[in-house]
Amino acid sequence: MAKATAIAPANIAFVKYWGAKDLERAIPLHPSISMTLDRCCSHSTVAFDEGSVDDAAKGAGQDSITLVDEAGAPAPTPPGFDRRIRRHLDLLRQWAGKEGSFRVATRNSFPAAAGMASSASGFSALTLAATKAMGIDLSEKESSILARRSGSGSAARSVLGGYVEWPAPGQAVDDESCHAVSLAPASHWPLADVVALVETGPKEVSSLDGHRRAGTSPHFAARLELVPGRLAQVREAIQEKDVEKLGVVLEEDAIELHLVAMSSRPPIFYWKPASLTVLEAVRRWREEGIHAYSTMDAGANVHVICPLEESPAVAERLAALPGVDGVIEDRVGDGPRFVGEDLF
Ligand code: DP6
């Protein structure tokens, strides 16, 4: 029995992935750019027992999967967790051409109740640990493609550190070649992501449903026309380390994603009153000279992007806002790594 453990971080997109050509395999309708985080991670141990399965079972039915909490005790799983992981393990086993069963234990470093997306970090860590346990060393391109095939498109970006674009500029967007590339390492530009937690339960509408409905919004076609210009501006802002240039575009892109969501059929409202309180406060702080800009994923929490040296002040101000239940101070990070700290 071979075993491997990987830690992979979540990421926050500056130009967001919203809408897919192929939802099952997460082939996006347009590119996205993100920053890989450092503290918000998934930690996954996978053991592979090769050839331990009789022909009838063919492996899948015998895989065992547990989500554990900080103390190592089994934790309640979000809806669809088990089914999505089993499907991905099966896909990895078939890709590797192996027979055998997996044992998986996984843990998230960010609060389970924080309502933050854990599928990008989770599927990235699972892909790396499961393939390593089968004795395979993946290239970055292969890890991005395989993580993407989990159906969590943002997982394709989490296998790389620093600033990441997915798919690569100019790349043919098909299942064989749709993968992420690095735009710059984390050391290039120390930015922070200070997360204001305003919602603690699981989100009401999954990103998958959001992608599915995106095309029903009359504003989606306009978004597709605007995205290429934004990608160019974000690449430039990263290159030049220009936080104002980046901030204006990332706020615009996030608001637009929510405009599309709110005008989809049926509509999706991720915002809560406290989300608006944070968005408004961040705009006000900018007038006082703070370089902070807001973005939101498919949920009510607000991610505030700012230079690392301004992160403590931003965190303090966010924590004092009404409706903010907690704050996570994260920053750009180097991406996934294999570790010796096995979960079983
Ligand atoms: C709004 O399909 O990757 O975060 O599997 O839930 O992580 P999960 O979502 P995924 O869509 C991500 C949607 C987004 C924008 C983004 O990260 O680009």
Side-chain angles (χ1 to χ4, degrees), residues 127-163:
T127 302
L128 295 169
T131 45
K132 184 93 168 167
M134 289 190 290
I136 300 166
D137 286 317
L138 297 176
S139 66
E140 281 185 346
K141 177 178 165 180
E142 286 170 327
S143 13
S144 180
I145 290 174
L146 289 175
R148 191 205 79 228
R149 287 182 183 155
S150 67
S152 170
S154 48
R157 300 187 307 238
S158 264
V159 297
L160 298 174
Y163 299 89

Side-chain angles (χ1 to χ4, degrees), residues 11 13 15-18 32 84 117 119-120 151-155 157 203 207-208 211 257 297-298:
N11 66 78
V15 178
K16 313 245 181 223
Y17 158 43
W18 202 243
S32 54
R84 287 185 76 188
S119 41
S152 170
S154 48
R157 300 187 307 238
K203 55 190 171 207
S207 307
L208 284 178
H211 295 303
L257 181 153
D297 281 341

Side-chain angles (χ1 to χ4, degrees), residues 285-297:
W285 299 340
R286 279 210 292 276
E287 285 162 22
E288 298 173 34
I290 292 176
H291 302 95
Y293 298 86
S294 307
T295 180
M296 293 172 69
D297 281 341

